[in-house]
Amino acid sequence: MKKVFGSSYFTYSFKERKSLFYLSALLAFLVFAYIYLQFYPPRGPSFEFISSLDTFAKASYDIKRTGHLESSQSTPQTEISFFDPNQITNAQLLALGVSKKAALNWSKYVQKGGKFKTAVDLKKIYGLSESTYDRIKPFLLFNTAQNNKFITQNSLTPTEPAKAKIIDPNTAVLQDLIDAGIPARSAQNIIKYRSNGGQFKSAIDLVKIYGMSDSLLKELKDLLIYNPSPKADNATLTSIDINTSDTSGWKKLAGIGSVLSKRIVNYREKLGGFYSPLQLKEVYGLADSTLQKIQPLLQPSSIFRKIRINQDTLTRLYHPYISKKDAQVIEQYKNQHGPFNGPDDLKSILAFDQNFWDRLIPYFDFTLPSK
């Protein structure tokens, strides 16, 4: 058999292939280690020692080259005074000698509602070196909920503690809630809960809010008062008509806020009116307990818009109680048997049960078309 030229150069023994594999693995590990160290430089005594050796070598080179030691070009640091890590600005952090990356991460953490309660919490900040942490640790002040220290833009010296502001979670605006020490997301949930008709009568009601822990409520107990809106007392309200009252009328009832009142009115328009207060159970977000409280104040009235079953084409109409398929069945029956003279004719359609008709018949007008 003819031997291919150069084949002996591309033929490896088992031991050679094994050695080549280990060399490739070692090379891949070294490349990975180099990339990792570039993006995630390690910290620790050994690396600080190596860094000091680098500094010593550079100083020796400067002396040999120029005859003297060149001065360091590091940024001068502001003399540290006591400060609150929850209120310090990005510029002040840089003045303290905190790196740009650490200062940016620090500011983002606070803006998103994070709070530093102890010095150990500062270690959460990515990029904050151990040396910087050890240097600023003795000057940290905490407990901002009860000791609202203020730091000016031009000085790191804290002023006199500001007097804590008493707030009512039933009326406080978003910024007041955040200033009291409530995380931004929890403060937004409080506003949302109120807009849906919720009220806070005690600290127990605040526990319902996502993010409001028992420990946080203990810190805030001296800053919160609870004065629910007087609308919670139905005895002082007059009754309302379920088919004529607008959103402002519905909002006068206990547990009905702006969102719920709009949902009630919108659903009423789609139906053509309520024939019973119990239909309010179908409104999304209206709790049964709320309906029980306001039901004595609800006055029923006539439906203001009906479906002319013998004249209108049901498949072209929209009603929450009739699906498109249901409308097609009713239309087919009408085309085959003629107009409906009353509710009894509808019950002849065996595709629907009695509950379906009891719910829908009040919305039908059986007037025959004019000839």
Side-chain angles (χ1 to χ4, degrees), residues 2-21:
K2 188 176 180 181
K3 195 172 183 179
V4 179
F5 175 75
S7 60
S8 59
Y9 292 99
F10 299 99
T11 303
Y12 302 97
S13 64
F14 174 76
K15 181 182 282 189
E16 289 173 335
R17 289 196 300 269
K18 188 176 180 181
S19 301
L20 184 61
F21 172 78

Side-chain angles (χ1 to χ4, degrees), residues 113-127:
K115 289 184 71 66
F116 301 107
K117 297 181 180 179
T118 63
V120 179
D121 293 338
L122 287 177
K123 294 187 176 181
K124 302 176 183 178
I125 303 302
Y126 177 74

Side-chain angles (χ1 to χ4, degrees), residues 295-308:
Q295 190 170 350
L297 300 175
L298 302 178
Q299 288 184 348
S301 60
S302 301
I303 295 173
F304 54 81
R305 186 176 66 251
K306 290 192 174 185
I307 300 172
R308 300 177 300 175

Side-chain angles (χ1 to χ4, degrees), residues 191-208:
I191 301 296
K192 186 177 180 180
Y193 180 80
R194 280 170 17 195
S195 65
N196 288 330
Q199 293 191 344
F200 303 101
K201 299 179 181 179
S202 64
I204 297 176
D205 296 329
L206 268 178
V207 178
K208 303 174 185 177

Side-chain angles (χ1 to χ4, degrees), residues 160-172:
E160 292 298 323
K163 186 177 179 180
K165 182 179 181 181
I166 306 298
I167 63 171
D168 182 354
N170 293 290
T171 57

